[in-house]
Amino acid sequence: QVQLVESGGGSVQAGGSLRLSCAASGGIFRINTMGWYRQAPGKQRELVASITRGTNYADSVKGRFTISRDGAKNTVYLQMNSLKPEDTAVYYCNAEGFLATMRGWEDFGSWGQGTQVTVSS
């Protein structure tokens, strides 16, 4: 199975910046889509940003967050600027694609363990 390891979370004051990273590893795979989701206490997990050939952002983060991807490193980044207290959540990395198995290429979907982002006012 493909494993995702996140890094870069932490605590910051409102208006500050953080950069999240997520690296995929484990076997032979091809990633179609990578994305970042977040879940605040008492709320459902929501999509923050995703990247395939293009990018997609939640309205709440447009103009402040930028998602990018290094295909050679199988890594996705989320640059978060102008952070607000409402951005406080656990951020999860997600990857979807195809994994080489003895049966051939099979779909996979993987989640990271999550990284806490806390923004204080």
Side-chain angles (χ1 to χ4, degrees):
Q1 185 56 282
V2 177
Q3 293 88 38
L4 303 178
V5 178
E6 301 139 341
S7 60
S11 297
V12 66
Q13 289 191 328
S17 299
L18 286 172
R19 188 190 193 210
L20 305 182
S21 300
C22 172
S25 63
I28 300 172
F29 54 88
R30 298 173 182 170
I31 297 177
N32 289 336
T33 301
M34 298 191 81
W36 289 95
Y37 291 71
R38 66 186 180 188
Q39 188 166 18
K43 295 187 177 181
Q44 290 188 336
R45 190 173 297 188
E46 63 176 1
L47 174 69
V48 176
S50 64
I51 183 167
T52 53
R53 293 180 180 177
T55 57
N56 179 48
Y57 295 93
D59 288 343
S60 60
V61 306
K62 283 181 180 177
R64 300 187 298 122
F65 291 10
T66 302
I67 189 170
S68 61
R69 178 176 165 182
D70 186 332
K73 296 181 179 179
N74 290 313
T75 299
V76 66
Y77 306 94
L78 186 68
Q79 178 66 43
M80 304 185 293
N81 299 328
S82 302
L83 282 161
K84 304 176 180 180
E86 50 263 43
D87 294 318
T88 296
V90 177
Y91 283 69
Y92 296 92
C93 177
N94 173 265
E96 298 178 354
F98 299 96
L99 176 68
T101 72
M102 293 183 68
R103 295 178 294 275
W105 291 102
E106 295 187 347
D107 295 348
F108 81 88
S110 296
W111 290 93
Q113 78 284 0
T115 184
Q116 178 69 46
V117 171
T118 302
V119 184
S120 58
S121 57

